Amino acid sequence: ADLGVRNISYEGEECEFEIDKSSLAIIRDPNKCIRCRRCETMCNEVQTVGVYSAVGRGFETVVKTAFDLPQHDTSCTFCGQCVAVCPTGALMELDQVDKVWKALNDPTRFVVVQTAPAVRVALGEGFGLEPGTIVTGKMVSALRRLGFDRVFDTDFAADVTIMEEASELVHRLKNGGRLPILTSCCPAWVKFFEHQFPDLLDIPSTCKSPHEMLGVLTKSYYAETYGIDPKKITVVSIMPCIAKKYEAARPELGQSQVMPDVDIVITTRELSRMIREAGIHFEHLKDEEFDDLLGESTGASVIFGTTGGVLEAALRTAYEWITGETLEKVEFEALRGMDGIKEAIIPIAGRDYRVAVTHGLGHARYILEKIQTGEAHYDVIEIMACPGGCIGGGGQPYHHGNVEL
Ligand code: SF4
C-alpha cells in the first residue's frame, strides 16, 4: 500500500458515470452496476429508507440515489446492507486499510485497536473456517502481529453501556421521564431516527455506542493512568458495521475536531484483508488474550452482537437495581430468536414492564409509527438496523443476500 500500487492500477480507465465518494462510509460506483436492483430491494423494501431508485431507460438504466444526489446528502443510514448484497462491488465500504497501515508504520503513534463482539464469530469465515467459529484468541494474536500497541475489547465498553442504559431507565422510571427508552448503540438506527422521527428525538438513551465509549476511555482514563499523551494515540475500531465509519466522524463524538474518540473504523472484511496482506497464516496462530484493563468484560457484553442482546443485558442489571435481589435466571428467552419484532411483558417488583426488540429498519418503522399514533406502549425498546443485529452487519463477510428475515 505504501508503494501506491492500488492508486495506479486503474489509471486511465474511462468512466461513464462519476464515482460517488461523498459519504464517509460507502463508495458508489454506478459504472459497475449490472441493474440487478438488489440494493434497491434491500434499501426500499427491507430497510424502508428509500435511497436508491433505477434511473434511466432500458440498457441505460443504473441504480442511483433519488435525484442522483451525492450519497452524503440523502437520508442514507450507511447501514451497508446494500453493500452486503451488491454482487459486483458497485457499492463498497470506504476503504480505510491504508490509513491503518500508515498509523502502524508511524513510530510516533501509539496505536490501540478494539474489536466488537460480532467480529470474533465472523472473522474466521475469511480464512475458510465454518461460519460461527469463535476465533477470539487467534484474532487477538493476529492484531498483535500486525503491530498494534494495545489490543482492547469493545465488550468492556458494552458493559459500561449496560450500566449507563440501565441507570437511565431506572432514573426515568423513578422520576417520570418519557418512555419508552430506546437503545442508542446502533449509528444507522440513530441516523434513521433523526431523519424519519424528529418528533421523538427525546426518547432514545443518551449513551454513546460502545466503541465510542472505549475510544474516549482510552484517550482519557487509560492515557492518564499510563502517562501517554492522548494526542499521540490512534484508536482503530474493528467493527461488523459500515455505519460506524460515519459515526466516528460525527463532530460531537470527540474531545475536539482534532481528537475524535475513534480515529479509524475498519470492517471485519477489511481486517481479513489486512491479515492476508501481512502474510499471516491465521489458522495456525496460537490463542492470545486481550490486554489489561480495557480488555476485561462479562458474559452480558458478548450477547450485544445479536438481536435482543443489549436489552437482555440491560434488563439483568435493571432488575437487580430495582429489586435489590440477585437474578437467579439471567436468560430472558422471549427476547431471543430471529423474529423481526419480539415483544414481552417482564414482571419486576410488582410492575409489568412492556419491552420490545426489533431488527431491520422496516420493523423499527412499524413499531415507531404505532408509538406515534398511540396504538402501542412500551417501557424499553432495543432497535438494531441490520437483520439479525450486528452479527448481520454490512461489514461482515459477504453472505450474498442469503439472510433469513
Ligand atoms: Fe452497525 Fe450493528 Fe447497527 Fe448494523 S445493527 S448498523 S452492524 S451497529
Side-chain angles (χ1 to χ4, degrees), residues 78-79 81 185-189 240-244 384-386 389-390 392-394:
F78 306 127
C79 69
Q81 288 302 312
C185 33
C186 167
W189 145 240
C241 181
I242 291 181
K244 300 230 186 237
M384 292 288 169
C386 294
C390 301

Side-chain angles (χ1 to χ4, degrees), residues 69-340:
L69 284 170
Q71 194 101 2
H72 183 70
D73 298 340
T74 67
S75 56
C76 177
T77 64
F78 306 127
C79 69
Q81 288 302 312
C82 56
V83 174
V85 297
C86 176
T88 63
L91 292 156
M92 294 281 291
E93 68 263 51
L94 175 73
D95 183 339
Q96 294 188 300
V97 166
D98 285 356
K99 272 177 100 173
V100 181
W101 282 129
K102 199 168 173 204
L104 289 171
N105 285 323
D106 182 345
T108 67
R109 304 300 302 172
F110 187 83
V111 190
V112 171
V113 69
Q114 59 168 316
T115 61
V119 175
R120 65 206 67 184
V121 292
L123 183 64
E125 284 180 58
F127 301 93
L129 298 173
E130 280 291 303
T133 309
I134 299 171
V135 294
T136 316
K138 288 188 192 309
M139 175 184 73
V140 172
S141 174
L143 290 167
R144 287 220 177 85
R145 270 138 202 86
L146 289 175
F148 289 100
D149 295 296
R150 291 290 179 278
V151 184
F152 290 151
D153 193 355
T154 313
D155 283 11
F156 179 93
D159 278 331
V160 179
T161 307
I162 293 162
M163 303 304 276
E164 290 297 322
E165 283 192 348
S167 64
E168 223 177 333
L169 170 64
V170 172
H171 183 271
R172 284 198 207 179
L173 290 168
K174 284 195 178 147
N175 300 293
R178 195 171 171 197
L179 295 171
I181 188 168
L182 312 175
T183 55
S184 59
C185 33
C186 167
W189 145 240
V190 169
K191 190 162 185 285
F192 175 81
F193 191 72
E194 287 171 332
H195 285 290
Q196 317 271 350
F197 295 90
D199 56 317
L200 297 178
L201 274 178
D202 57 333
I203 60 173
S205 156
T206 57
C207 293
K208 292 182 183 195
S209 73
H211 85 121
E212 291 289 331
M213 285 194 193
L214 200 97
V216 77
L217 284 170
T218 303
K219 290 186 182 182
S220 55
Y221 173 76
Y222 190 84
E224 229 173 274
T225 308
Y226 290 92
I228 306 165
D229 178 357
K231 291 195 199 73
K232 293 194 171 151
I233 299 179
T234 299
V235 174
V236 177
S237 298
I238 316 282
M239 297 283 129
C241 181
I242 291 181
K244 300 230 186 237
K245 289 176 182 277
Y246 140 83
E247 181 191 44
R250 284 184 73 134
E252 68 272 33
L253 293 176
Q255 295 170 50
S256 70
Q257 289 283 351
V258 288
M259 197 163 64
D261 296 338
V262 170
D263 298 270
I264 309 170
V265 176
I266 62 169
T267 60
T268 310
R269 285 194 295 267
E270 287 171 279
L271 176 60
S272 301
R273 210 169 68 235
M274 278 187 79
I275 294 170
R276 280 196 299 273
E277 280 178 5
I280 294 169
H281 292 281
F282 185 80
E283 52 288 16
H284 296 131
L285 289 171
K286 288 218 161 57
D287 288 355
E288 291 184 9
E289 300 281 332
F290 286 108
D291 284 309
D292 284 343
L293 182 66
L294 303 181
E296 304 276 324
S297 62
T298 70
S301 62
V302 178
I303 58 175
F304 257 59
T306 189
T307 169
V310 178
L311 182 57
E312 182 170 330
L315 281 175
R316 291 177 187 176
T317 301
Y319 178 94
E320 299 208 349
W321 285 350
I322 292 168
T323 61
E325 293 165 14
T326 304
L327 184 63
E328 295 300 332
K329 185 174 180 322
V330 293
E331 296 87 11
F332 289 82
E333 268 137 21
L335 307 178
R336 297 190 171 186
M338 293 300 281
D339 289 347

Side-chain angles (χ1 to χ4, degrees), residues 1-80:
D2 279 350
L3 300 176
V5 171
R6 282 203 210 113
N7 294 338
I8 60 169
S9 54
Y10 292 111
E11 236 171 51
E13 183 190 30
E14 279 182 25
C15 292
E16 191 181 344
F17 302 100
E18 205 175 318
I19 299 171
D20 181 1
K21 297 183 179 171
S22 64
S23 104
L24 304 168
I26 294 173
I27 303 285
R28 197 169 52 86
D29 181 353
N31 301 290
K32 294 182 185 164
C33 175
I34 55 164
R35 312 163 192 97
C36 69
R37 300 175 80 168
R38 290 184 195 182
C39 58
E40 194 186 346
T41 306
M42 187 50 105
C43 185
N44 298 1
E45 290 174 26
V46 179
Q47 299 293 71
T48 67
V49 179
V51 169
Y52 299 115
S53 58
V55 177
R57 261 185 252 118
F59 287 117
E60 296 304 311
T61 302
V62 286
V63 177
K64 290 191 173 185
T65 58
F67 307 111
D68 206 8
L69 284 170
Q71 194 101 2
H72 183 70
D73 298 340
T74 67
S75 56
C76 177
T77 64
F78 306 127
C79 69

